[in-house]
């Protein structure tokens, strides 16, 4: 898949992480709760070694709570990994992250032995929002475009915790092509080579398989469309997305479906599940 991920910045991130890792007590990996596998950065796993890792399933307000719990149980099967759901609109949840950090590094966290935690995450998972919330002041730029942190930042938090923010950009998973679609469907990546219509078709197929009831409720359907193309056709006609000759404007209906999915109008939706990922990994390993 031809996605431009600023190779220079990625190289810089890799180099810096490698350099600081020996002094890091805890890795905090910010993930998107809707896609904890696809929003993971393979490099973090590779460079982390045995360092404890706190996986934060952020934007949990947009994810299916049952699936989030499944993911937490699944991720915590790995030694030295804790996983937690986070909705950053809830201040108390943000504060409990500080408690967790201290719990995970019990032998440190005093004036003479501060805790060093490295925070990382692919663009748009909410890493900057979290840094600002933990610090209680604006440190990192937030927004939808990937902001490139230029230098390694050291942020002092309450409780003798030093947060290291990685410069450069970390990339998501690319070895599983479905991950590209899921990242695009969630809105995490925009400048992809996959067309908007294809992403909507992928999302439609997924919703039909995993969330048929939500589709029925949201769009008032008695019966479900037969497949993703039928879904886009039906929704397009219903919403008046027509072009000359009465044909459905697929790009327009694709935008509607994807916006509703991303904004949570279809309810909280998780875009991948542990058993599905295991099956996909087994499939790709055979190829
Ligand atoms: P970064 O690129 O990882 O630093 O991501 P940002 O911190 O800039 O956040 C990207 C977008 O996600 C912003 O629009 C945030 O407001 C939004 N965001 C962050 N955390 C949450 C959350 O818990 N729930 C929801 N719904 N949105 C969030």
């Amino acid at each position: 898949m031809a996605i431009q991920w600023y190779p220079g910045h990625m190289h810089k991130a890799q180099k810096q992480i490698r350099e600081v890792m020996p002094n890091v007590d805890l890795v905090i990996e910010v993930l998107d709760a809707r896609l904890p596998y696809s929003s993971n950065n393979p490099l973090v796993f590779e460079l982390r070694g045995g360092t404890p890792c706190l996986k934060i399933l952020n934007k949990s307000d947009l994810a299916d709570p049952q699936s989030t719990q499944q993911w937490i149980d699944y991720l915590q099967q790995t030694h030295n990994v804790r996983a937690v759901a986070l909705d950053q609109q809830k201040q108390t949840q943000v504060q409990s992250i500080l408690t967790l950090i201290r719990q995970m590094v019990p032998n440190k966290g005093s004036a003479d032995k501060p805790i060093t935690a490295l925070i990382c995450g692919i663009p748009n998972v909410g890493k900057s929002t979290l840094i600002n919330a933990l610090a209680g002041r604006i440190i990192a730029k937030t927004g939808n475009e990937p902001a490139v942190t230029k230098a390694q930042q050291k942020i002092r938090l309450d409780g003798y915790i030093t947060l290291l923010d990685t410069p450069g950009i970390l990339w998501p998973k690319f070895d599983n092509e479905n991950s590209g679609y899921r990242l695009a469907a969630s809105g995490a990546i925009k400048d992809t080579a996959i067309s908007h219509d294809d992403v909507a078709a992928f999302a439609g197929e997924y919703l039909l398989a995993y969330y048929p009831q939500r589709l029925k409720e949201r769009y008032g359907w008695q019966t479900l469309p037969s497949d993703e193309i039928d879904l886009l056709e039906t929704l397009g006609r219903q919403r008046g997305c027509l072009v000359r000759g009465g044909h459905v404007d697929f790009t327009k209906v694709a935008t509607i479906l994807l916006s509703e999915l991303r904004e949570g109008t279809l309810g909280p939706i998780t875009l991948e599940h542990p058993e599905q990922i295991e099956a996909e990994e087994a499939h790709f390993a055979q190829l």
Side-chain angles (χ1 to χ4, degrees), residues 79-91:
H79 179 61
N80 263 345
V81 169
R82 287 277 299 264
V84 63
L86 178 64
D87 168 3
Q88 293 208 55
Q89 294 150 25
K90 303 212 168 88
Q91 187 56 30

Side-chain angles (χ1 to χ4, degrees), residues 268-282:
I269 282 176
T270 298
L271 293 164
E272 60 192 17
H273 301 91
E275 73 285 354
Q276 178 195 5
I277 293 304
E278 293 222 318
E280 280 179 15
E281 290 219 316

Side-chain angles (χ1 to χ4, degrees), residues 126-223:
K127 185 182 77 161
S128 309
T129 311
L130 181 59
I131 291 175
N132 294 340
L134 289 175
R137 57 193 191 275
I138 305 290
I139 289 176
K141 208 174 119 191
T142 61
N144 274 322
E145 296 312 313
V148 182
T149 312
K150 293 204 176 56
Q152 179 89 54
Q153 285 208 60
K154 278 191 185 182
I155 304 137
R156 298 205 192 285
L157 308 180
D158 288 348
Y160 302 105
I161 299 167
T162 304
L163 205 56
L164 298 183
D165 186 14
T166 35
I169 288 183
L170 293 176
W171 59 102
K173 271 210 146 34
F174 284 140
D175 49 352
N176 178 336
E177 65 176 285
N178 292 330
S179 290
Y181 279 105
R182 293 187 197 113
L183 285 155
S186 76
I189 52 174
K190 293 200 185 75
D191 49 351
T192 76
I194 326 169
S195 89
H196 198 55
D197 303 10
D198 283 348
V199 176
F202 180 90
E205 187 183 9
Y206 179 81
L207 291 168
L208 280 170
Y210 283 87
Y211 293 97
Q213 197 52 33
R214 298 275 188 88
L215 288 171
K216 281 185 170 177
E217 282 163 19
R218 171 70 191 150
Y219 302 122
W221 293 336
Q222 297 296 319
T223 51

Side-chain angles (χ1 to χ4, degrees), residues 20-273:
V20 297
M21 199 57 93
N23 303 319
V24 167
D25 303 304
L26 176 73
V27 173
I28 302 172
E29 194 177 13
V30 188
L31 302 168
D32 187 319
R34 294 168 296 171
L35 53 172
Y37 164 82
S38 298
S39 59
N40 154 280
N41 170 260
L43 178 73
V44 174
F45 175 76
E46 190 190 309
L47 297 182
R48 182 169 74 79
T51 312
C53 182
L54 174 59
K55 292 186 186 268
I56 298 182
L57 276 58
N58 191 39
K59 305 195 186 184
S60 64
D61 51 308
L62 299 176
D64 191 334
Q66 237 181 320
S67 307
T68 301
Q69 191 53 51
Q70 255 187 355
W71 272 113
I72 289 175
D73 296 342
Y74 180 77
L75 293 168
Q76 291 193 149
Q77 287 170 13
T78 304
H79 179 61
N80 263 345
V81 169
R82 287 277 299 264
V84 63
L86 178 64
D87 168 3
Q88 293 208 55
Q89 294 150 25
K90 303 212 168 88
Q91 187 56 30
T92 49
Q93 289 192 8
V94 176
Q95 287 314 310
S96 67
I97 299 292
L98 289 173
T99 314
L100 258 179
I101 295 173
R102 293 178 64 83
Q103 276 175 9
M104 289 189 71
V105 192
N107 54 342
K108 282 192 167 182
S110 56
D112 55 334
K113 275 199 208 162
I115 294 170
T116 302
L118 174 72
I119 186 161
C120 40
I122 66 164
N124 212 29
V125 287
K127 185 182 77 161
S128 309
T129 311
L130 181 59
I131 291 175
N132 294 340
L134 289 175
R137 57 193 191 275
I138 305 290
I139 289 176
K141 208 174 119 191
T142 61
N144 274 322
E145 296 312 313
V148 182
T149 312
K150 293 204 176 56
Q152 179 89 54
Q153 285 208 60
K154 278 191 185 182
I155 304 137
R156 298 205 192 285
L157 308 180
D158 288 348
Y160 302 105
I161 299 167
T162 304
L163 205 56
L164 298 183
D165 186 14
T166 35
I169 288 183
L170 293 176
W171 59 102
K173 271 210 146 34
F174 284 140
D175 49 352
N176 178 336
E177 65 176 285
N178 292 330
S179 290
Y181 279 105
R182 293 187 197 113
L183 285 155
S186 76
I189 52 174
K190 293 200 185 75
D191 49 351
T192 76
I194 326 169
S195 89
H196 198 55
D197 303 10
D198 283 348
V199 176
F202 180 90
E205 187 183 9
Y206 179 81
L207 291 168
L208 280 170
Y210 283 87
Y211 293 97
Q213 197 52 33
R214 298 275 188 88
L215 288 171
K216 281 185 170 177
E217 282 163 19
R218 171 70 191 150
Y219 302 122
W221 293 336
Q222 297 296 319
T223 51
L224 285 169
S226 57
D227 60 19
E228 63 277 17
I229 303 301
D230 190 22
L231 184 155
L232 291 171
E233 280 263 2
T234 309
L235 185 58
R237 294 200 180 280
Q238 201 168 316
R239 294 290 175 95
C241 306
L242 300 176
V243 284
R244 208 177 278 241
H247 298 296
V248 167
D249 181 341
F250 275 98
T251 304
K252 207 164 171 186
V253 69
T255 306
I256 292 178
L257 184 68
L258 291 177
S259 307
E260 300 215 340
L261 174 64
R262 289 170 187 167
E263 286 157 15
T265 317
L266 283 160
I269 282 176
T270 298
L271 293 164
E272 60 192 17
H273 301 91

